[in-house]
Amino acid sequence: MATASVYKNFVGGRWEASATGKTFENRNPANTGEVVGLFQRSNADDADRAVQAAKAAFKTWRLVPAPKRAEILFRAGQLLIERKESYAREMTREMGKPLPETRGDVQEAIDMLFYTAGEGRRMFGHTTPSELENKFQMSVRQPVGVCALITPWNFPMAIPSWKIVPALVCGNTAVIKPATDTPLSVFHLVQTLVDAGLPEGVMNVVAGTGKDVGEPLVTHPDVDLVSFTGSTDTGRRITKLCAPTIKKHSLEMGGKNPIIVMDDADLELALDGSIWSAFGTTGQRCTAASRIIMHEAVADSFTEQFVERAKRLRLGDGLREDTDVGPLINEAQLKKVHQYVKIGQDEGAELLCGGTQVKEGDLAKGLFYAPTVFAGVKPSMQIAQEEIFGPVLSLIKVGSLEEAVDVANDVAYGLSASVFTPDVSRAMVAVRDLYTGIVYVNAGTIGAEVHLPFGGTKGTGNGHREAGEAALDIFSEWKAVYVDYSGRLQRAQIDNAPTQ
């Protein structure tokens, strides 16, 4: 049996072992007997060394012209194109989703590198006329400093790229703690940046748990900004840890995303979008559709066809070309999903399909769960209110668009929503009234592109947005600049008498 590779932390431009001398296993969820790699079980001392390396590098990196910083990102994007297939295959091994999806994950990082690198020559501020004579004024962006980046396992290269790339182009340095279930993809991304010419200390990687590495990074006095994507509970914890020093932090958390299927919808299109949104990535997306809100006029037909399609989905190793749905990420997530299925049954929802772990044949060594559909779900039920993060879908009947929007909005989250209707008036009402950060018309709830802002309302986050130009607002601070060349003291608002 081949020996698993050992991956070290990346600190100050060097690969180094943890001070603990310990490692943890990264296992393939499609075959839990396969160890993908061994990673450092780091601690607060490791986190501190990485922060100090980033702090030292910030002094020179912030002075590198932004277009020059961007050139490194462009080179990294080109390298990632060349490495896309190998990195996608390794990602499937470590997190389980099918190869077409992991190729898309790497592609999103490529897109982020190319799009955000363009900001190196834009990064627009503003100039405005002064109310006083012989005075010039403008606003410019400045970097924040050392950024701590904490990322989840479901998009192990795309989401890290959302944080790393805008942080770097703005002139910040960073330390990233990858998810313990999927650290390898982050190591691949950082190695690509290093190969593209990123200077020592600008980007650092420290593997380990949230308790041992994440919290020391969040509370470190030399960390100026925390960017987190993950669970709502952890996001609340980060907010509390940042509060004493009023540390800048951005949070991207959960979702309970609805698809509204109106009575005039193209049902074939709605079925396509709903199956993909509910069971893509095994439902392990913050934007996954976990509720389908159906108009009563089409509910029976839609339900029958949806369940038939769900039953036909093929579970399997994501490296197989015929696999539709891969495994859940770990044993704890499998138990959580099954617990919610039991809750749904106890609440009186009707289980139409799924609801069980699948362990036959080639699936015996993996963490596979059958696509699960509940009917007769009331909006107040726990399975219709709480994020499950697995292949479990609730079907809810309504009598109108207004009722559908009310049901859609009546949850603690507000990330993504969609509506299927050919009626432009109805579509625009839904776009206006759905209180989410993302709305799709005649498409599912997944498929965001990197040049628009990504994020949500209510319990989904704390108001920041990732991707697009909006990402620069997380990783930079505004500075207003006033240049008075009048040769005398001019007092705004005082020496500015209205013209008579």
Side-chain angles (χ1 to χ4, degrees):
M1 182 179 294
T3 303
S5 297
V6 178
Y7 296 88
K8 298 180 179 180
N9 293 333
F10 188 67
V11 178
R14 291 175 295 279
W15 297 101
E16 62 176 42
S18 166
T20 67
K22 298 177 181 179
T23 60
F24 65 90
E25 294 178 337
N26 176 15
R27 289 183 174 268
N28 182 348
N31 177 5
T32 56
E34 178 188 353
V35 178
V36 176
L38 299 173
F39 292 81
Q40 304 303 303
R41 189 176 294 277
S42 307
N43 63 11
D45 290 338
D46 299 305
D48 177 65
R49 285 199 303 278
V51 171
Q52 296 309 322
K55 182 180 179 182
F58 178 67
K59 295 176 183 178
T60 53
W61 179 246
R62 71 181 183 87
L63 299 177
V64 175
K68 294 297 183 183
R69 298 195 293 257
E71 287 175 8
I72 296 172
L73 302 179
F74 277 122
R75 286 197 295 271
Q78 192 59 50
L79 288 173
L80 206 53
I81 290 173
E82 298 168 8
R83 301 172 183 182
K84 178 178 176 178
E85 185 66 17
S86 64
Y87 285 177
R89 288 182 173 276
E90 290 292 284
M91 189 187 299
T92 292
R93 288 179 64 225
E94 77 165 347
M95 81 79 60
K97 62 187 176 184
L99 197 52
E101 292 191 44
T102 54
R103 288 177 182 136
D105 198 305
V106 180
Q107 184 60 50
E108 191 156 339
I110 294 167
D111 295 344
M112 182 61 72
L113 282 160
F114 284 135
Y115 172 82
T116 309
E119 294 298 336
R121 289 192 177 273
R122 293 189 295 263
M123 216 174 295
F124 298 129
H126 303 88
T127 60
T128 65
S130 173
E131 64 190 46
L132 299 170
E133 295 178 352
N134 299 316
K135 184 179 178 184
F136 172 80
Q137 54 195 41
M138 64 181 175
S139 61
V140 297
R141 294 183 185 270
Q142 60 185 344
V144 178
V146 176
C147 303
L149 315 176
I150 301 174
T151 55
W153 46 262
N154 59 334
F155 282 86
M157 189 173 289
I159 292 178
S161 77
W162 295 0
K163 301 178 187 300
I164 292 172
V165 180
L168 297 185
V169 82
C170 286
N172 304 288
T173 56
V175 181
I176 188 168
K177 188 206 85 65
T180 52
D181 285 302
T182 56
L184 182 57
S185 293
V186 171
F187 280 70
H188 285 156
L189 178 58
V190 171
Q191 182 64 66
T192 302
L193 288 163
V194 171
D195 293 343
L198 197 68
E200 292 181 359
V202 172
M203 190 69 232
N204 305 271
V205 186
V206 182
T209 66
K211 178 181 178 182
D212 294 335
V213 177
E215 290 205 10
L217 284 175
V218 171
T219 58
H220 199 292
D222 290 323
V223 167
D224 303 291
L225 178 153
V226 177
S227 179
F228 167 78
T229 299
S231 73
T232 300
D233 287 344
T234 303
R236 289 194 186 99
R237 173 69 175 160
I238 288 173
T239 295
K240 291 178 181 179
L241 293 173
C242 289
T245 57
I246 320 177
K247 185 173 294 186
K248 188 173 183 179
H249 62 288
S250 68
L251 305 175
E252 175 56 44
M253 301 180 290
K256 192 66 180 173
N257 311 294
I259 292 177
I260 296 173
V261 181
M262 291 308 300
D263 53 335
D264 58 355
D266 179 335
L267 283 195
E268 197 68 21
L269 179 61
L271 286 162
D272 287 344
S274 298
I275 286 288
W276 170 231
S277 298
F279 302 122
T281 321
T282 321
Q284 299 174 121
R285 292 183 181 224
C286 55
T287 54
S290 57
R291 299 177 294 156
I292 297 183
I293 303 168
M294 313 166 294
H295 192 284
E296 58 192 8
V298 296
D300 290 346
S301 176
F302 183 90
T303 298
E304 180 182 354
Q305 294 180 69
F306 185 87
V307 171
E308 180 186 349
R309 288 196 182 198
K311 289 179 177 178
R312 291 203 309 262
L313 293 172
R314 294 172 298 245
L315 276 68
D317 188 325
L319 291 175
R320 291 175 55 102
E321 293 292 342
D322 61 348
T323 292
D324 296 313
V325 179
L328 290 166
I329 187 64
N330 55 39
E331 188 72 35
Q333 190 63 24
L334 188 145
K335 290 179 180 178
K336 176 186 175 184
V337 168
H338 193 60
Q339 181 181 13
Y340 269 106
V341 170
K342 294 299 184 185
I343 289 171
Q345 291 175 304
D346 291 343
E347 289 181 308
E350 181 185 1
L351 182 63
L352 299 182
C353 66
T356 59
Q357 183 180 1
V358 183
K359 302 182 71 172
E360 308 117 11
D362 294 340
L363 308 182
K365 295 182 180 180
L367 303 171
F368 296 94
Y369 204 88
T372 300
V373 181
F374 279 105
V377 177
K378 297 178 181 178
S380 60
M381 287 182 176
Q382 201 171 337
I383 59 169
Q385 288 288 321
E386 298 178 9
E387 185 176 43
I388 300 172
F389 225 65
V392 180
L393 182 86
S394 296
L395 297 173
I396 302 171
K397 289 185 184 182
V398 294
S400 66
L401 176 62
E402 292 73 22
E403 184 183 358
V405 170
D406 287 344
V407 170
N409 287 338
D410 189 24
V411 293
Y413 303 101
L415 180 52
S416 183
S418 86
V419 59
F420 282 87
T421 176
D423 186 326
V424 67
S425 299
R426 280 177 154 183
M428 293 308 295
V429 167
V431 167
R432 182 193 66 195
D433 293 344
L434 287 165
Y435 192 60
T436 55
I438 305 168
V439 176
Y440 295 89
V441 177
N442 294 321
T445 56
I446 60 181
E449 300 183 36
V450 302
H451 35 286
L452 284 179
F454 182 96
T457 62
K458 299 186 285 188
T460 290
N462 63 339
H464 293 285
R465 292 292 185 269
E466 296 190 290
E469 186 182 356
L472 302 180
D473 290 329
I474 301 172
F475 293 105
S476 64
E477 296 277 14
W478 283 110
K479 179 183 287 184
V481 180
Y482 300 94
V483 181
D484 193 315
Y485 53 97
S486 67
R488 66 183 188 278
L489 176 64
Q490 298 192 93
R491 300 169 296 174
Q493 295 92 42
I494 295 175
D495 298 332
N496 181 33
T499 302
Q500 298 298 322

